[in-house]
């Protein structure tokens, strides 16, 4: 039974940082969904000794080794050869694959060169994994003690297609039992990782239950996973509702929806329209709202008012307000949200004005000070926030706070 | 002397495929620039045994082990503890770091929880690597036989800042000799990777000379590296000017400046001001412009006009123009750029109107059709573009084309 897998990625471009390896994450994702544990991911250059080293390490850690790269026709494509050596077997030409390669070149009018036949050589007793999108097929071969080695093309689209069409169905068949995993993701607002850890202390972590956090500022997600346990589904349901109770309003969503998608669905459902007046966020909130397909139904207009003149001219902020309270103030924020709502003729106006930095701060209003205001037909409100960190972080944090407040206003 | 490095990335999210690991590529990139060889990149979950395994393997392959992740305050943050165990030493609290943490929490008005002190525990004899952008500092510790272990925060921005401010200067000092490497980066517009590959065929690649591409849509960079060769500097200069000649106007910058920074510097230098009217890009161009610190000097205003009404009301586009030519047309684009320029009172008005998809396309104007217009006091121009791919790709591609055209207009 396959329980643990090791993923190998090969290619000089991966270890010089020229290319970000997405293959290993894509494979890890698919295998995790099947309930496999990924013991390790190893990335190495196109080098004989390193590949042998990685194969040994894979063999030591997992029952399934799944690798990518180095199957092409050129001199640095060493994989099949090195694996045959590692297994102590011969390379054997697969005539079906050789014929296919020749026909493919002919049909595309490409000149045939003998080195292409290299792609038809596989370690003896391999099962071929067809590559519908490219020339180099992959293979699957037993490496003893019930362990299996799978090798796929390193080209991401080809790899994913081969994985889905061939490898996943094979793993499912091998693991006769149900994969035995339940998991869900909570999206979190207004807590740090360590807050979250503290609040979740009462959740008993056993070898069946795992909680993991993912923080990509300003996003914070929590994942609950319950594995291979007899009463798994009911335990999973109990833990899920316990987490919901513990975190309460800090949970703004479950699953993979973004905050801007959640806000968009609420606006759609309530048949409300939105306009934005952004100062320090410079269009970033508008970008988040509009990257959701179909947002034009509820989103009408944003004014990015980076100067005082534009706040006056296009939002109707009073010069006296700017003079007396400053551009970063409750009063200006409210006039901005009301102004954009009336001028755009929408149900809701949301405004943001603050100091993103690195300059522009003062003792009273340090960098990171932001006022957000929401105007509706019969009421307006404003709140002050203080964000830490550099410009980009203030911008992102502000956008999250604004969208989150908008979400709670819509509920 | 440090010659080979091993990179370790830790985190459950990396081995379940939930997050694509960019840290290891960023580290590999920086270390390669210094001439170090990356022996392997190892990724493992937050697990004691796996971390020990990875530390052993790192120790076996490299003189420098550089790892990320697991330094936070929560229960699954095991790194410092496991490393101390691996080294056979104690964990020791660094009082300076502890004090800093307490002050940071206090100044932000966050509730202090004792588990935060975990971030002040380091293996004995470690040198602290400050983390200017986050709470968890890293550390550097000798692991015997002239080998060194460096551990950094797993949060990408924090990691990069720590790497550049602390680790790179330390490595340079350690490697007393000159690294023997010359390299530069060209930023490319209007070519695909395979175009680039074709055009650069005349550049002779020897074991001293490497060309590498990095594509992160819509960004495309080309890097020239010349290594350890006696006449290195003069060969480097010759190749550099040869590449400049081959690529001509496709090069929009050299070094690490972004396109929005380059445009910003040109506007500053020419003392010109800018306003934007965005439709399909929904504020993304405005966001790119304003994420550059100091952009308020030249950037005044953007109108994100997602509805026809807002195009009419806030830009002065004629209803007849919209009716006759449609919102995605040369005529509308020009009225938008002229309208925003006049209303914002800036030197330049730039507008964008198009179909980002997935719906809204027609046989004449398929998804990806975009009109861009630039208005100046005495002239206006408009151009049509066709972008391929999904919504986010159309938005990004449009922003790049608009900023690039603005750049060439300013030259």
């Amino acid at each position: 039974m396959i329980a643990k897998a090791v993923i190998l990625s090969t290619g000089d471009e991966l270890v010089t940082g020229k290319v970000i390896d997405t293959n290993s994450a894509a494979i890890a994702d698919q295998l995790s969904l099947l309930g496999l544990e990924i013991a390790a991911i190893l990335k190495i250059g196109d080098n004989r000794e390193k590949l042998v080293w990685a194969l040994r390490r894979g063999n030591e850690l997992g029952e399934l080794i799944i690798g990518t790269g180095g199957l092409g026709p050129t001199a640095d494509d060493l994989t099949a050869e090195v694996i045959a050596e590692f297994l102590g077997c011969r390379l054997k030409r697969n005539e079906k694959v050789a014929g296919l390669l020749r026909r493919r070149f002919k049909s595309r009018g490409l000149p045939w060169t003998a080195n292409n036949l290299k792609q038809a050589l596989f370690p003896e007793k391999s099962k071929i994994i067809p590559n519908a999108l490219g020339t180099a097929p992959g293979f699957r071969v037993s490496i003893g003690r019930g362990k299996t080695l799978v090798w796929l093309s390193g080209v991401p689209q080809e790899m994913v297609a081969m994985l889905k069409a061939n490898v996943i169905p094979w793993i499912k068949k091998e693991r006769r039992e149900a994969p035995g995993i339940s998991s869900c993701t909570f999206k979190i607002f207004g807590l740090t990782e360590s807050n979250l850890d503290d609040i979740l202390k009462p959740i008993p972590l056993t070898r069946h239950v795992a909680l993991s956090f993912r923080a990509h500022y300003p996003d914070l997600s929590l994942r609950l996973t319950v594995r291979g346990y007899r009463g798994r589904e009911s335990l999973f349901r109990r833990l899920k509702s316990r987490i919901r109770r513990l975190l309460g309003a800090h949970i703004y969503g479950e699953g993979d929806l973004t905050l801007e998608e959640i806000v968009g669905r609420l606006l759609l459902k309530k048949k409300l329209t939105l306009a934005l007046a952004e100062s320090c966020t410079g269009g970033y909130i508008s970008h988040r709202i509009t990257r959701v397909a179909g947002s034009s139904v509820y989103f009408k207009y944003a004014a990015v008012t980076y100067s005082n003149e534009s706040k006056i001219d296009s939002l109707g902020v009073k010069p006296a307000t700017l003079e007396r309270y400053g551009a970063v103030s409750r009063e200006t924020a409210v006039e901005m949200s009301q102004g954009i709502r009336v001028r755009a003729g929408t149900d809701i106006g949301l405004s943001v004005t603050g100091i993103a930095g690195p300059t522009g701060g003062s003792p009273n209003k340090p960098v990171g000070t932001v006022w957000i205001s929401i105007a509706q037909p019969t009421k307006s409100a404003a709140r002050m926030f203080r964000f830490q960190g550099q410009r980009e972080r203030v911008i992102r944090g502000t956008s999250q706070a604004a969208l989150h407040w908008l979400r709670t206003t819509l509920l």
Side-chain angles (χ1 to χ4, degrees), chain A residues 55-72:
Chain A
L55 289 166
R56 286 214 185 104
R57 298 292 86 81
N59 199 9
E60 158 187 320
L61 291 177
E63 289 98 30
L64 170 65
I65 306 173
I66 177 160
T68 57
L71 294 178

Side-chain angles (χ1 to χ4, degrees), chain A residues 80-146:
Chain A
E81 199 183 318
V82 174
I83 289 175
E85 210 181 292
F86 173 74
L87 295 174
C89 72
R90 289 187 318 130
L91 276 180
K92 207 177 151 186
R93 186 149 94 198
N94 184 302
E95 293 305 335
K96 222 170 122 189
V97 171
L100 205 72
L101 279 168
R102 278 206 195 84
R103 281 197 300 282
R104 194 188 277 251
F105 271 75
K106 205 173 161 190
S107 77
R108 296 192 190 175
L110 295 170
W112 173 258
T113 52
N115 62 356
N116 278 299
L117 276 180
K118 205 176 151 185
Q119 298 171 92
L121 291 174
F122 302 93
E124 257 180 328
K125 298 188 186 161
S126 296
K127 297 262 182 233
I128 306 303
I129 300 177
N131 180 349
L133 307 178
T135 52
F139 56 89
R140 190 179 80 224
V141 62
S142 165
I143 55 174
R145 291 184 295 149

Side-chain angles (χ1 to χ4, degrees), chain A residues 307-365:
Chain A
S307 63
N308 275 351
E309 295 72 46
S310 63
K311 288 183 184 76
I312 297 166
D313 295 344
S314 58
L315 301 173
V317 173
K318 292 185 210 103
T321 306
L322 288 167
E323 210 164 291
R324 186 153 166 202
Y325 303 102
V328 179
S329 64
R330 171 190 294 275
E331 291 74 11
T332 300
V334 170
E335 289 186 19
M336 286 171 72
S337 68
Q338 291 175 339
I340 195 73
R341 196 190 79 75
V342 170
R343 292 189 177 210
T346 53
D347 302 301
I348 299 170
L350 186 152
S351 75
V352 154
T353 178
I355 303 150
T359 59
S362 67
N364 279 336
K365 294 177 185 174

Side-chain angles (χ1 to χ4, degrees), chain A residues 184-187 214 221-222 251-258 262:
Chain A
C184 66
T185 302
F186 298 93
K187 310 278 278 191
R214 201 186 335 171
S221 311
L222 164 73
I251 296 175
Y252 69 78
E254 291 183 21
D256 272 338
L257 285 185
T258 61
I262 291 169

Side-chain angles (χ1 to χ4, degrees), chain A residues 27-70:
Chain A
I27 297 172
D29 189 31
Q30 292 290 323
L31 298 192
S32 297
L33 275 179
L34 295 177
L36 267 73
E37 180 195 332
I38 311 302
I41 297 170
L42 312 179
K43 296 199 267 185
I44 48 162
D46 296 311
N47 171 299
R48 191 175 292 269
E49 288 73 40
K50 289 287 158 45
L51 182 50
V52 171
W53 178 87
L55 289 166
R56 286 214 185 104
R57 298 292 86 81
N59 199 9
E60 158 187 320
L61 291 177
E63 289 98 30
L64 170 65
I65 306 173
I66 177 160
T68 57

Side-chain angles (χ1 to χ4, degrees), chain A residues 204-340:
Chain A
L205 298 181
T206 65
R207 63 193 186 87
H208 300 297
V209 177
L211 288 177
S212 57
F213 307 149
R214 201 186 335 171
H216 179 61
Y217 190 80
D219 253 2
L220 180 61
S221 311
L222 164 73
R223 185 186 236 196
L224 164 69
T225 311
V226 183
R227 276 172 209 271
Y229 172 78
R230 198 176 264 276
R232 195 186 74 241
E233 267 302 331
S234 81
L235 174 63
F236 177 66
R237 275 194 304 273
R238 279 202 309 281
L239 291 174
K240 218 167 142 178
S241 43
R242 186 123 185 239
I243 290 173
R244 281 200 199 104
R245 278 196 307 275
L246 286 168
L247 295 175
H250 289 293
I251 296 175
Y252 69 78
E254 291 183 21
D256 272 338
L257 285 185
T258 61
L259 184 51
E260 51 267 37
E261 284 168 326
I262 291 169
V263 166
R265 286 179 185 206
L266 283 170
L267 288 166
L268 260 185
K269 198 174 133 200
K270 306 226 159 185
K271 295 196 170 64
L272 295 172
T273 55
L274 172 70
L276 303 173
E278 298 190 53
S279 183
C280 63
T281 43
Y284 188 62
I285 303 175
S286 177
H287 166 57
R288 286 186 64 178
I289 294 272
T290 57
R291 75 180 168 199
V292 179
S295 48
S296 61
V297 176
Y298 47 84
F299 178 72
K300 298 300 164 192
Y301 180 59
V304 181
T305 52
Y306 231 54
S307 63
N308 275 351
E309 295 72 46
S310 63
K311 288 183 184 76
I312 297 166
D313 295 344
S314 58
L315 301 173
V317 173
K318 292 185 210 103
T321 306
L322 288 167
E323 210 164 291
R324 186 153 166 202
Y325 303 102
V328 179
S329 64
R330 171 190 294 275
E331 291 74 11
T332 300
V334 170
E335 289 186 19
M336 286 171 72
S337 68
Q338 291 175 339
I340 195 73

Side-chain angles (χ1 to χ4, degrees), chain A residues 169-191:
Chain A
W170 169 75
I171 295 175
K172 280 188 178 161
K173 222 176 98 195
E174 284 292 299
R175 292 166 62 86
R176 279 167 220 123
E177 305 146 55
I181 190 164
S182 304
S183 82
C184 66
T185 302
F186 298 93
K187 310 278 278 191
I188 311 295
F189 179 82
L191 293 175

